Amino acid sequence: DSGVTQTPKHLITATGQRVTLRCSPRSGDLSVYWYQQSLDQGLQFLIQYYNGEERAKGNILERFSAQQFPDLHSELNLSSLELGDSALYFCASSVGSGGPLSYNEQFFGPGTRLTVL
Amino acid sequence: GQQVMQIPQYQHVQEGEDFTTYCNSSTTLSNIQWYKQRPGGHPVFLIQLVKSGEVKKQKRLTFQFGEAKKNSSLHITATQTTDVGTYFCASADGLTFGKGTHLIIQP
């Protein structure tokens, strides 16, 4: 158990709908990261928040948005869903803000499996 | 951002054989990380390498960082069924992951 929690575990919805994925980081971690993992694909970085502020942005679609709240939990909002959005969405947390010169061990949650029908 | 390429994509080995996965970058990396993801599980951090030419060992796992800091490798000696999974390298910023090497072990 990494200490990172994600809800829900599974989500089945229809095209065009909107969903919200939730993540609670490990106690004491200030950074939250969101990743998308599709079949046979690696981990695609979406976005990082550090202490409530957006820190880094990856290949996140305009239909997707995220935020980190004062209690440090984070939500990833996916709207106008398409079939291709079906994937496993991971949240990870780390103590620091990250960056190439830092020790940046990330702790991953169990993931939310999104199926768009 | 940085890109990292991993090879091979899949590796089948007999239990007891050795296994190696390679990670390559076109640019110099400040550091590199390795993660393991078991089937149906989530990625778990294994190690971070920082220094040029660095070699670190964790039991049967040996991690190397190239002299030019553009490549890295993970070697597993005498694989066991518990080693099954996908091994990912991640770039210095910790945000760019390779596509992973799937290790499949035949008993």
Side-chain angles (χ1 to χ4, degrees), chain A residues 33 35 37 40-43 45 56 90 99-106 108-109, chain B residues 10 30-31 33 35 37 41-43 45 48 88 92-95 97-99:
Chain A
Y33 309 78
Y35 293 88
Q37 186 174 45
D40 282 339
Q41 292 293 316
L43 290 156
F45 167 67
F90 284 109
L101 299 179
S102 67
Y103 180 76
N104 193 37
E105 177 177 356
Q106 294 182 47
F108 282 77
Chain B
Y10 292 90
S30 300
N31 59 54
Q33 300 178 338
Y35 290 79
Q37 184 177 17
H42 58 271
F45 177 86
Q48 177 166 309
F88 294 98
D93 57 11
L95 305 177
F97 282 71
K99 289 201 172 181

PDB file of all heavy atoms in Angstrom, chain A residues 33 35 37 40-43 45 56 90 99-106 108-109, chain B residues 10 30-31 33 35 37 41-43 45 48 88 92-95 97-99:
ATOM      1  N   TYR A  33       0.646  14.135  -9.087  1.00  0.00           N
ATOM      2  CA  TYR A  33       0.831  13.961 -10.527  1.00  0.00           C
ATOM      3  C   TYR A  33      -0.313  13.109 -11.058  1.00  0.00           C
ATOM      4  O   TYR A  33      -0.773  12.188 -10.391  1.00  0.00           O
ATOM      5  CB  TYR A  33       2.140  13.227 -10.830  1.00  0.00           C
ATOM      6  CG  TYR A  33       3.369  13.779 -10.169  1.00  0.00           C
ATOM      7  CD1 TYR A  33       3.642  13.514  -8.827  1.00  0.00           C
ATOM      8  CD2 TYR A  33       4.292  14.540 -10.884  1.00  0.00           C
ATOM      9  CE1 TYR A  33       4.779  14.004  -8.207  1.00  0.00           C
ATOM     10  CE2 TYR A  33       5.436  15.025 -10.271  1.00  0.00           C
ATOM     11  CZ  TYR A  33       5.666  14.751  -8.940  1.00  0.00           C
ATOM     12  OH  TYR A  33       6.794  15.237  -8.340  1.00  0.00           O
ATOM     13  N   TYR A  35      -1.322  10.660 -14.426  1.00  0.00           N
ATOM     14  CA  TYR A  35      -0.812   9.936 -15.599  1.00  0.00           C
ATOM     15  C   TYR A  35      -1.959   9.153 -16.244  1.00  0.00           C
ATOM     16  O   TYR A  35      -2.883   8.704 -15.570  1.00  0.00           O
ATOM     17  CB  TYR A  35       0.271   8.933 -15.206  1.00  0.00           C
ATOM     18  CG  TYR A  35       1.551   9.544 -14.706  1.00  0.00           C
ATOM     19  CD1 TYR A  35       1.719   9.841 -13.358  1.00  0.00           C
ATOM     20  CD2 TYR A  35       2.604   9.802 -15.576  1.00  0.00           C
ATOM     21  CE1 TYR A  35       2.897  10.391 -12.883  1.00  0.00           C
ATOM     22  CE2 TYR A  35       3.793  10.354 -15.107  1.00  0.00           C
ATOM     23  CZ  TYR A  35       3.928  10.633 -13.774  1.00  0.00           C
ATOM     24  OH  TYR A  35       5.101  11.179 -13.310  1.00  0.00           O
ATOM     25  N   GLN A  37      -2.533   5.737 -18.651  1.00  0.00           N
ATOM     26  CA  GLN A  37      -1.884   4.535 -19.189  1.00  0.00           C
ATOM     27  C   GLN A  37      -2.894   3.775 -20.036  1.00  0.00           C
ATOM     28  O   GLN A  37      -3.872   3.239 -19.528  1.00  0.00           O
ATOM     29  CB  GLN A  37      -1.355   3.643 -18.071  1.00  0.00           C
ATOM     30  CG  GLN A  37      -0.548   2.455 -18.588  1.00  0.00           C
ATOM     31  CD  GLN A  37       0.099   1.671 -17.460  1.00  0.00           C
ATOM     32  OE1 GLN A  37      -0.537   1.375 -16.445  1.00  0.00           O
ATOM     33  NE2 GLN A  37       1.368   1.321 -17.629  1.00  0.00           N
ATOM     34  N   ASP A  40      -0.799  -1.210 -23.790  1.00  0.00           N
ATOM     35  CA  ASP A  40       0.480  -1.248 -24.485  1.00  0.00           C
ATOM     36  C   ASP A  40       1.171   0.103 -24.589  1.00  0.00           C
ATOM     37  O   ASP A  40       2.118   0.252 -25.364  1.00  0.00           O
ATOM     38  CB  ASP A  40       0.343  -1.852 -25.889  1.00  0.00           C
ATOM     39  CG  ASP A  40       0.247  -3.369 -25.817  1.00  0.00           C
ATOM     40  OD1 ASP A  40       0.669  -3.937 -24.793  1.00  0.00           O
ATOM     41  OD2 ASP A  40      -0.265  -3.973 -26.768  1.00  0.00           O
ATOM     42  N   GLN A  41       0.689   1.063 -23.845  1.00  0.00           N
ATOM     43  CA  GLN A  41       1.356   2.361 -23.826  1.00  0.00           C
ATOM     44  C   GLN A  41       2.037   2.545 -22.486  1.00  0.00           C
ATOM     45  O   GLN A  41       1.646   1.989 -21.475  1.00  0.00           O
ATOM     46  CB  GLN A  41       0.346   3.490 -24.037  1.00  0.00           C
ATOM     47  CG  GLN A  41      -0.257   3.506 -25.418  1.00  0.00           C
ATOM     48  CD  GLN A  41       0.761   3.845 -26.473  1.00  0.00           C
ATOM     49  OE1 GLN A  41       1.561   4.751 -26.317  1.00  0.00           O
ATOM     50  NE2 GLN A  41       0.751   3.092 -27.561  1.00  0.00           N
ATOM     51  N   GLY A  42       3.002   3.351 -22.486  1.00  0.00           N
ATOM     52  CA  GLY A  42       3.659   3.687 -21.239  1.00  0.00           C
ATOM     53  C   GLY A  42       2.808   4.654 -20.447  1.00  0.00           C
ATOM     54  O   GLY A  42       1.638   4.858 -20.727  1.00  0.00           O
ATOM     55  N   LEU A  43       3.413   5.249 -19.473  1.00  0.00           N
ATOM     56  CA  LEU A  43       2.729   6.226 -18.650  1.00  0.00           C
ATOM     57  C   LEU A  43       2.862   7.599 -19.290  1.00  0.00           C
ATOM     58  O   LEU A  43       3.957   8.110 -19.447  1.00  0.00           O
ATOM     59  CB  LEU A  43       3.347   6.242 -17.257  1.00  0.00           C
ATOM     60  CG  LEU A  43       3.061   4.999 -16.431  1.00  0.00           C
ATOM     61  CD1 LEU A  43       4.125   4.800 -15.375  1.00  0.00           C
ATOM     62  CD2 LEU A  43       1.695   5.099 -15.786  1.00  0.00           C
ATOM     63  N   PHE A  45       2.401  11.389 -18.933  1.00  0.00           N
ATOM     64  CA  PHE A  45       2.234  12.414 -17.912  1.00  0.00           C
ATOM     65  C   PHE A  45       1.201  13.435 -18.373  1.00  0.00           C
ATOM     66  O   PHE A  45       1.252  13.930 -19.491  1.00  0.00           O
ATOM     67  CB  PHE A  45       3.580  13.088 -17.649  1.00  0.00           C
ATOM     68  CG  PHE A  45       3.494  14.345 -16.849  1.00  0.00           C
ATOM     69  CD1 PHE A  45       3.103  14.314 -15.523  1.00  0.00           C
ATOM     70  CD2 PHE A  45       3.793  15.568 -17.417  1.00  0.00           C
ATOM     71  CE1 PHE A  45       3.016  15.484 -14.774  1.00  0.00           C
ATOM     72  CE2 PHE A  45       3.720  16.736 -16.685  1.00  0.00           C
ATOM     73  CZ  PHE A  45       3.330  16.699 -15.364  1.00  0.00           C
ATOM     74  N   ALA A  56       3.694  21.599 -13.508  1.00  0.00           N
ATOM     75  CA  ALA A  56       4.150  21.146 -14.828  1.00  0.00           C
ATOM     76  C   ALA A  56       2.962  20.573 -15.588  1.00  0.00           C
ATOM     77  O   ALA A  56       2.021  20.050 -14.995  1.00  0.00           O
ATOM     78  CB  ALA A  56       5.243  20.092 -14.696  1.00  0.00           C
ATOM     79  N   PHE A  90      -3.629   7.039 -13.361  1.00  0.00           N
ATOM     80  CA  PHE A  90      -2.908   6.958 -12.095  1.00  0.00           C
ATOM     81  C   PHE A  90      -2.659   8.343 -11.540  1.00  0.00           C
ATOM     82  O   PHE A  90      -2.364   9.293 -12.264  1.00  0.00           O
ATOM     83  CB  PHE A  90      -1.547   6.275 -12.290  1.00  0.00           C
ATOM     84  CG  PHE A  90      -1.620   4.793 -12.454  1.00  0.00           C
ATOM     85  CD1 PHE A  90      -1.371   4.211 -13.685  1.00  0.00           C
ATOM     86  CD2 PHE A  90      -1.906   3.973 -11.370  1.00  0.00           C
ATOM     87  CE1 PHE A  90      -1.418   2.835 -13.845  1.00  0.00           C
ATOM     88  CE2 PHE A  90      -1.957   2.601 -11.527  1.00  0.00           C
ATOM     89  CZ  PHE A  90      -1.714   2.031 -12.759  1.00  0.00           C
ATOM     90  N   GLY A  99      11.548  17.995 -10.411  1.00  0.00           N
ATOM     91  CA  GLY A  99      12.534  18.714 -11.193  1.00  0.00           C
ATOM     92  C   GLY A  99      13.771  17.861 -11.373  1.00  0.00           C
ATOM     93  O   GLY A  99      14.013  16.934 -10.604  1.00  0.00           O
ATOM     94  N   PRO A 100      14.567  18.147 -12.370  1.00  0.00           N
ATOM     95  CA  PRO A 100      15.673  17.270 -12.751  1.00  0.00           C
ATOM     96  C   PRO A 100      16.770  17.153 -11.712  1.00  0.00           C
ATOM     97  O   PRO A 100      17.534  16.199 -11.730  1.00  0.00           O
ATOM     98  CB  PRO A 100      16.194  17.903 -14.043  1.00  0.00           C
ATOM     99  CG  PRO A 100      15.646  19.274 -14.079  1.00  0.00           C
ATOM    100  CD  PRO A 100      14.388  19.276 -13.280  1.00  0.00           C
ATOM    101  N   LEU A 101      16.885  18.087 -10.795  1.00  0.00           N
ATOM    102  CA  LEU A 101      17.994  18.028  -9.847  1.00  0.00           C
ATOM    103  C   LEU A 101      17.558  17.523  -8.477  1.00  0.00           C
ATOM    104  O   LEU A 101      18.344  17.521  -7.541  1.00  0.00           O
ATOM    105  CB  LEU A 101      18.630  19.417  -9.716  1.00  0.00           C
ATOM    106  CG  LEU A 101      19.203  19.978 -11.016  1.00  0.00           C
ATOM    107  CD1 LEU A 101      19.783  21.363 -10.800  1.00  0.00           C
ATOM    108  CD2 LEU A 101      20.258  19.047 -11.602  1.00  0.00           C
ATOM    109  N   SER A 102      16.336  17.094  -8.386  1.00  0.00           N
ATOM    110  CA  SER A 102      15.845  16.696  -7.067  1.00  0.00           C
ATOM    111  C   SER A 102      15.654  15.195  -6.978  1.00  0.00           C
ATOM    112  O   SER A 102      15.552  14.494  -7.983  1.00  0.00           O
ATOM    113  CB  SER A 102      14.519  17.397  -6.777  1.00  0.00           C
ATOM    114  OG  SER A 102      13.522  16.910  -7.661  1.00  0.00           O
ATOM    115  N   TYR A 103      15.628  14.706  -5.760  1.00  0.00           N
ATOM    116  CA  TYR A 103      15.236  13.321  -5.529  1.00  0.00           C
ATOM    117  C   TYR A 103      13.723  13.305  -5.568  1.00  0.00           C
ATOM    118  O   TYR A 103      13.066  13.974  -4.786  1.00  0.00           O
ATOM    119  CB  TYR A 103      15.744  12.835  -4.175  1.00  0.00           C
ATOM    120  CG  TYR A 103      15.360  11.406  -3.880  1.00  0.00           C
ATOM    121  CD1 TYR A 103      16.022  10.354  -4.497  1.00  0.00           C
ATOM    122  CD2 TYR A 103      14.312  11.118  -3.015  1.00  0.00           C
ATOM    123  CE1 TYR A 103      15.662   9.043  -4.243  1.00  0.00           C
ATOM    124  CE2 TYR A 103      13.950   9.814  -2.771  1.00  0.00           C
ATOM    125  CZ  TYR A 103      14.632   8.775  -3.379  1.00  0.00           C
ATOM    126  OH  TYR A 103      14.255   7.473  -3.126  1.00  0.00           O
ATOM    127  N   ASN A 104      13.168  12.547  -6.482  1.00  0.00           N
ATOM    128  CA  ASN A 104      11.744  12.704  -6.756  1.00  0.00           C
ATOM    129  C   ASN A 104      11.029  11.372  -6.818  1.00  0.00           C
ATOM    130  O   ASN A 104      10.373  11.044  -7.800  1.00  0.00           O
ATOM    131  CB  ASN A 104      11.562  13.450  -8.083  1.00  0.00           C
ATOM    132  CG  ASN A 104      10.141  13.916  -8.277  1.00  0.00           C
ATOM    133  OD1 ASN A 104       9.486  14.326  -7.337  1.00  0.00           O
ATOM    134  ND2 ASN A 104       9.650  13.846  -9.498  1.00  0.00           N
ATOM    135  N   GLU A 105      11.149  10.577  -5.755  1.00  0.00           N
ATOM    136  CA  GLU A 105      10.449   9.299  -5.724  1.00  0.00           C
ATOM    137  C   GLU A 105       8.953   9.559  -5.705  1.00  0.00           C
ATOM    138  O   GLU A 105       8.449  10.297  -4.851  1.00  0.00           O
ATOM    139  CB  GLU A 105      10.850   8.512  -4.480  1.00  0.00           C
ATOM    140  CG  GLU A 105      10.111   7.197  -4.331  1.00  0.00           C
ATOM    141  CD  GLU A 105      10.571   6.405  -3.126  1.00  0.00           C
ATOM    142  OE1 GLU A 105      11.520   6.838  -2.451  1.00  0.00           O
ATOM    143  OE2 GLU A 105       9.971   5.346  -2.872  1.00  0.00           O
ATOM    144  N   GLN A 106       8.269   8.959  -6.660  1.00  0.00           N
ATOM    145  CA  GLN A 106       6.829   9.117  -6.742  1.00  0.00           C
ATOM    146  C   GLN A 106       6.152   7.858  -6.217  1.00  0.00           C
ATOM    147  O   GLN A 106       6.569   6.746  -6.515  1.00  0.00           O
ATOM    148  CB  GLN A 106       6.391   9.366  -8.185  1.00  0.00           C
ATOM    149  CG  GLN A 106       6.892  10.688  -8.743  1.00  0.00           C
ATOM    150  CD  GLN A 106       6.411  10.937 -10.146  1.00  0.00           C
ATOM    151  OE1 GLN A 106       5.225  10.774 -10.456  1.00  0.00           O
ATOM    152  NE2 GLN A 106       7.316  11.333 -11.016  1.00  0.00           N
ATOM    153  N   PHE A 108       2.695   5.847  -6.330  1.00  0.00           N
ATOM    154  CA  PHE A 108       1.507   5.745  -7.176  1.00  0.00           C
ATOM    155  C   PHE A 108       0.328   5.145  -6.428  1.00  0.00           C
ATOM    156  O   PHE A 108       0.481   4.230  -5.609  1.00  0.00           O
ATOM    157  CB  PHE A 108       1.807   4.878  -8.404  1.00  0.00           C
ATOM    158  CG  PHE A 108       2.585   5.592  -9.475  1.00  0.00           C
ATOM    159  CD1 PHE A 108       3.939   5.800  -9.345  1.00  0.00           C
ATOM    160  CD2 PHE A 108       1.948   6.066 -10.615  1.00  0.00           C
ATOM    161  CE1 PHE A 108       4.669   6.469 -10.324  1.00  0.00           C
ATOM    162  CE2 PHE A 108       2.654   6.726 -11.604  1.00  0.00           C
ATOM    163  CZ  PHE A 108       4.017   6.929 -11.463  1.00  0.00           C
ATOM    164  N   GLY A 109      -0.844   5.668  -6.758  1.00  0.00           N
ATOM    165  CA  GLY A 109      -2.074   5.078  -6.259  1.00  0.00           C
ATOM    166  C   GLY A 109      -2.464   3.868  -7.084  1.00  0.00           C
ATOM    167  O   GLY A 109      -1.792   3.548  -8.076  1.00  0.00           O
TER     168      GLY A 109
ATOM    169  N   TYR B  10       9.278  -6.411 -25.183  1.00  0.00           N
ATOM    170  CA  TYR B  10       8.919  -7.647 -24.497  1.00  0.00           C
ATOM    171  C   TYR B  10      10.168  -8.519 -24.387  1.00  0.00           C
ATOM    172  O   TYR B  10      11.011  -8.524 -25.283  1.00  0.00           O
ATOM    173  CB  TYR B  10       7.836  -8.422 -25.268  1.00  0.00           C
ATOM    174  CG  TYR B  10       6.494  -7.742 -25.295  1.00  0.00           C
ATOM    175  CD1 TYR B  10       6.160  -6.862 -26.310  1.00  0.00           C
ATOM    176  CD2 TYR B  10       5.557  -7.976 -24.288  1.00  0.00           C
ATOM    177  CE1 TYR B  10       4.929  -6.235 -26.345  1.00  0.00           C
ATOM    178  CE2 TYR B  10       4.317  -7.341 -24.306  1.00  0.00           C
ATOM    179  CZ  TYR B  10       4.016  -6.477 -25.342  1.00  0.00           C
ATOM    180  OH  TYR B  10       2.805  -5.854 -25.355  1.00  0.00           O
ATOM    181  N   SER B  30      19.889  14.465 -16.152  1.00  0.00           N
ATOM    182  CA  SER B  30      20.409  14.824 -14.825  1.00  0.00           C
ATOM    183  C   SER B  30      20.403  13.604 -13.917  1.00  0.00           C
ATOM    184  O   SER B  30      21.316  13.376 -13.145  1.00  0.00           O
ATOM    185  CB  SER B  30      19.572  15.929 -14.200  1.00  0.00           C
ATOM    186  OG  SER B  30      19.597  17.075 -15.006  1.00  0.00           O
ATOM    187  N   ASN B  31      19.338  12.848 -14.000  1.00  0.00           N
ATOM    188  CA  ASN B  31      19.265  11.586 -13.280  1.00  0.00           C
ATOM    189  C   ASN B  31      18.243  10.704 -13.964  1.00  0.00           C
ATOM    190  O   ASN B  31      17.573  11.139 -14.904  1.00  0.00           O
ATOM    191  CB  ASN B  31      18.920  11.803 -11.795  1.00  0.00           C
ATOM    192  CG  ASN B  31      17.591  12.519 -11.614  1.00  0.00           C
ATOM    193  OD1 ASN B  31      16.569  12.103 -12.128  1.00  0.00           O
ATOM    194  ND2 ASN B  31      17.618  13.610 -10.865  1.00  0.00           N
ATOM    195  N   GLN B  33      15.322   7.365 -13.209  1.00  0.00           N
ATOM    196  CA  GLN B  33      14.618   6.541 -12.240  1.00  0.00           C
ATOM    197  C   GLN B  33      14.153   5.251 -12.903  1.00  0.00           C
ATOM    198  O   GLN B  33      13.950   5.210 -14.116  1.00  0.00           O
ATOM    199  CB  GLN B  33      13.391   7.285 -11.708  1.00  0.00           C
ATOM    200  CG  GLN B  33      13.697   8.594 -11.011  1.00  0.00           C
ATOM    201  CD  GLN B  33      12.437   9.303 -10.555  1.00  0.00           C
ATOM    202  OE1 GLN B  33      11.348   9.062 -11.071  1.00  0.00           O
ATOM    203  NE2 GLN B  33      12.570  10.183  -9.586  1.00  0.00           N
ATOM    204  N   TYR B  35      11.148   2.106 -12.324  1.00  0.00           N
ATOM    205  CA  TYR B  35       9.932   1.673 -11.648  1.00  0.00           C
ATOM    206  C   TYR B  35       9.569   0.276 -12.139  1.00  0.00           C
ATOM    207  O   TYR B  35       9.887  -0.097 -13.267  1.00  0.00           O
ATOM    208  CB  TYR B  35       8.758   2.618 -11.962  1.00  0.00           C
ATOM    209  CG  TYR B  35       8.847   3.991 -11.337  1.00  0.00           C
ATOM    210  CD1 TYR B  35       9.656   4.976 -11.892  1.00  0.00           C
ATOM    211  CD2 TYR B  35       8.107   4.299 -10.201  1.00  0.00           C
ATOM    212  CE1 TYR B  35       9.734   6.241 -11.316  1.00  0.00           C
ATOM    213  CE2 TYR B  35       8.172   5.559  -9.621  1.00  0.00           C
ATOM    214  CZ  TYR B  35       8.991   6.516 -10.194  1.00  0.00           C
ATOM    215  OH  TYR B  35       9.059   7.773  -9.619  1.00  0.00           O
ATOM    216  N   GLN B  37       6.124  -2.317 -12.468  1.00  0.00           N
ATOM    217  CA  GLN B  37       4.669  -2.435 -12.378  1.00  0.00           C
ATOM    218  C   GLN B  37       4.291  -3.906 -12.564  1.00  0.00           C
ATOM    219  O   GLN B  37       4.497  -4.471 -13.632  1.00  0.00           O
ATOM    220  CB  GLN B  37       3.978  -1.569 -13.438  1.00  0.00           C
ATOM    221  CG  GLN B  37       2.463  -1.564 -13.345  1.00  0.00           C
ATOM    222  CD  GLN B  37       1.826  -0.626 -14.374  1.00  0.00           C
ATOM    223  OE1 GLN B  37       2.442  -0.216 -15.355  1.00  0.00           O
ATOM    224  NE2 GLN B  37       0.568  -0.265 -14.157  1.00  0.00           N
ATOM    225  N   GLY B  41      -1.186  -4.088 -11.344  1.00  0.00           N
ATOM    226  CA  GLY B  41      -0.791  -3.220 -10.235  1.00  0.00           C
ATOM    227  C   GLY B  41      -0.411  -1.824 -10.679  1.00  0.00           C
ATOM    228  O   GLY B  41      -0.650  -1.425 -11.813  1.00  0.00           O
ATOM    229  N   HIS B  42       0.192  -1.102  -9.752  1.00  0.00           N
ATOM    230  CA  HIS B  42       0.614   0.255 -10.047  1.00  0.00           C
ATOM    231  C   HIS B  42       2.141   0.323 -10.031  1.00  0.00           C
ATOM    232  O   HIS B  42       2.799  -0.543  -9.440  1.00  0.00           O
ATOM    233  CB  HIS B  42       0.028   1.228  -9.018  1.00  0.00           C
ATOM    234  CG  HIS B  42       0.411   0.909  -7.600  1.00  0.00           C
ATOM    235  ND1 HIS B  42      -0.327   0.062  -6.804  1.00  0.00           N
ATOM    236  CD2 HIS B  42       1.446   1.328  -6.844  1.00  0.00           C
ATOM    237  CE1 HIS B  42       0.239  -0.039  -5.626  1.00  0.00           C
ATOM    238  NE2 HIS B  42       1.319   0.723  -5.615  1.00  0.00           N
ATOM    239  N   PRO B  43       2.716   1.319 -10.685  1.00  0.00           N
ATOM    240  CA  PRO B  43       4.182   1.447 -10.688  1.00  0.00           C
ATOM    241  C   PRO B  43       4.717   1.651  -9.274  1.00  0.00           C
ATOM    242  O   PRO B  43       4.138   2.393  -8.483  1.00  0.00           O
ATOM    243  CB  PRO B  43       4.424   2.676 -11.566  1.00  0.00           C
ATOM    244  CG  PRO B  43       3.202   2.796 -12.412  1.00  0.00           C
ATOM    245  CD  PRO B  43       2.077   2.334 -11.535  1.00  0.00           C
ATOM    246  N   PHE B  45       8.358   2.597  -7.296  1.00  0.00           N
ATOM    247  CA  PHE B  45       9.709   3.137  -7.451  1.00  0.00           C
ATOM    248  C   PHE B  45      10.739   2.105  -7.014  1.00  0.00           C
ATOM    249  O   PHE B  45      10.607   1.465  -5.966  1.00  0.00           O
ATOM    250  CB  PHE B  45       9.815   4.399  -6.599  1.00  0.00           C
ATOM    251  CG  PHE B  45      11.168   5.047  -6.584  1.00  0.00           C
ATOM    252  CD1 PHE B  45      11.519   5.950  -7.571  1.00  0.00           C
ATOM    253  CD2 PHE B  45      12.083   4.764  -5.581  1.00  0.00           C
ATOM    254  CE1 PHE B  45      12.765   6.574  -7.549  1.00  0.00           C
ATOM    255  CE2 PHE B  45      13.323   5.370  -5.558  1.00  0.00           C
ATOM    256  CZ  PHE B  45      13.667   6.275  -6.545  1.00  0.00           C
ATOM    257  N   GLN B  48      16.781   5.655  -8.010  1.00  0.00           N
ATOM    258  CA  GLN B  48      17.148   6.831  -8.796  1.00  0.00           C
ATOM    259  C   GLN B  48      18.668   6.863  -8.887  1.00  0.00           C
ATOM    260  O   GLN B  48      19.357   6.713  -7.876  1.00  0.00           O
ATOM    261  CB  GLN B  48      16.620   8.108  -8.140  1.00  0.00           C
ATOM    262  CG  GLN B  48      17.030   9.371  -8.882  1.00  0.00           C
ATOM    263  CD  GLN B  48      16.254  10.600  -8.442  1.00  0.00           C
ATOM    264  OE1 GLN B  48      15.041  10.603  -8.399  1.00  0.00           O
ATOM    265  NE2 GLN B  48      16.978  11.668  -8.116  1.00  0.00           N
ATOM    266  N   PHE B  88       9.911   0.197 -16.066  1.00  0.00           N
ATOM    267  CA  PHE B  88       9.949   1.497 -16.716  1.00  0.00           C
ATOM    268  C   PHE B  88      11.155   2.291 -16.245  1.00  0.00           C
ATOM    269  O   PHE B  88      11.482   2.287 -15.065  1.00  0.00           O
ATOM    270  CB  PHE B  88       8.711   2.332 -16.353  1.00  0.00           C
ATOM    271  CG  PHE B  88       7.407   1.805 -16.848  1.00  0.00           C
ATOM    272  CD1 PHE B  88       6.581   1.055 -16.028  1.00  0.00           C
ATOM    273  CD2 PHE B  88       6.972   2.090 -18.134  1.00  0.00           C
ATOM    274  CE1 PHE B  88       5.354   0.584 -16.482  1.00  0.00           C
ATOM    275  CE2 PHE B  88       5.747   1.626 -18.596  1.00  0.00           C
ATOM    276  CZ  PHE B  88       4.947   0.869 -17.766  1.00  0.00           C
ATOM    277  N   ALA B  92      14.933  12.473 -16.062  1.00  0.00           N
ATOM    278  CA  ALA B  92      15.401  13.256 -14.934  1.00  0.00           C
ATOM    279  C   ALA B  92      14.303  14.024 -14.241  1.00  0.00           C
ATOM    280  O   ALA B  92      14.289  14.147 -13.020  1.00  0.00           O
ATOM    281  CB  ALA B  92      16.472  14.232 -15.416  1.00  0.00           C
ATOM    282  N   ASP B  93      13.381  14.574 -15.005  1.00  0.00           N
ATOM    283  CA  ASP B  93      12.337  15.357 -14.362  1.00  0.00           C
ATOM    284  C   ASP B  93      11.281  14.466 -13.725  1.00  0.00           C
ATOM    285  O   ASP B  93      10.345  14.959 -13.098  1.00  0.00           O
ATOM    286  CB  ASP B  93      11.677  16.321 -15.352  1.00  0.00           C
ATOM    287  CG  ASP B  93      11.099  15.614 -16.573  1.00  0.00           C
ATOM    288  OD1 ASP B  93      11.018  14.378 -16.582  1.00  0.00           O
ATOM    289  OD2 ASP B  93      10.736  16.320 -17.531  1.00  0.00           O
ATOM    290  N   GLY B  94      11.444  13.156 -13.895  1.00  0.00           N
ATOM    291  CA  GLY B  94      10.507  12.223 -13.279  1.00  0.00           C
ATOM    292  C   GLY B  94       9.152  12.205 -13.918  1.00  0.00           C
ATOM    293  O   GLY B  94       8.228  11.566 -13.424  1.00  0.00           O
ATOM    294  N   LEU B  95       9.026  12.867 -15.050  1.00  0.00           N
ATOM    295  CA  LEU B  95       7.713  12.981 -15.650  1.00  0.00           C
ATOM    296  C   LEU B  95       7.600  12.255 -16.989  1.00  0.00           C
ATOM    297  O   LEU B  95       6.511  12.009 -17.467  1.00  0.00           O
ATOM    298  CB  LEU B  95       7.358  14.464 -15.862  1.00  0.00           C
ATOM    299  CG  LEU B  95       7.427  15.329 -14.612  1.00  0.00           C
ATOM    300  CD1 LEU B  95       7.119  16.776 -14.974  1.00  0.00           C
ATOM    301  CD2 LEU B  95       6.456  14.826 -13.561  1.00  0.00           C
ATOM    302  N   PHE B  97       8.227   8.946 -18.936  1.00  0.00           N
ATOM    303  CA  PHE B  97       8.498   7.530 -18.776  1.00  0.00           C
ATOM    304  C   PHE B  97       8.735   6.876 -20.126  1.00  0.00           C
ATOM    305  O   PHE B  97       8.106   7.243 -21.126  1.00  0.00           O
ATOM    306  CB  PHE B  97       7.309   6.832 -18.097  1.00  0.00           C
ATOM    307  CG  PHE B  97       7.241   7.051 -16.613  1.00  0.00           C
ATOM    308  CD1 PHE B  97       6.902   8.296 -16.094  1.00  0.00           C
ATOM    309  CD2 PHE B  97       7.513   6.028 -15.735  1.00  0.00           C
ATOM    310  CE1 PHE B  97       6.838   8.505 -14.724  1.00  0.00           C
ATOM    311  CE2 PHE B  97       7.446   6.219 -14.362  1.00  0.00           C
ATOM    312  CZ  PHE B  97       7.109   7.461 -13.861  1.00  0.00           C
ATOM    313  N   GLY B  98       9.617   5.885 -20.150  1.00  0.00           N
ATOM    314  CA  GLY B  98       9.739   5.039 -21.320  1.00  0.00           C
ATOM    315  C   GLY B  98       8.505   4.165 -21.421  1.00  0.00           C
ATOM    316  O   GLY B  98       7.685   4.120 -20.493  1.00  0.00           O
ATOM    317  N   LYS B  99       8.360   3.460 -22.543  1.00  0.00           N
ATOM    318  CA  LYS B  99       7.175   2.620 -22.731  1.00  0.00           C
ATOM    319  C   LYS B  99       7.266   1.313 -21.951  1.00  0.00           C
ATOM    320  O   LYS B  99       6.300   0.577 -21.869  1.00  0.00           O
ATOM    321  CB  LYS B  99       6.951   2.343 -24.215  1.00  0.00           C
ATOM    322  CG  LYS B  99       6.483   3.574 -24.972  1.00  0.00           C
ATOM    323  CD  LYS B  99       5.795   3.216 -26.269  1.00  0.00           C
ATOM    324  CE  LYS B  99       5.181   4.475 -26.867  1.00  0.00           C
ATOM    325  NZ  LYS B  99       4.471   4.206 -28.125  1.00  0.00           N
TER     326      LYS B  99
END
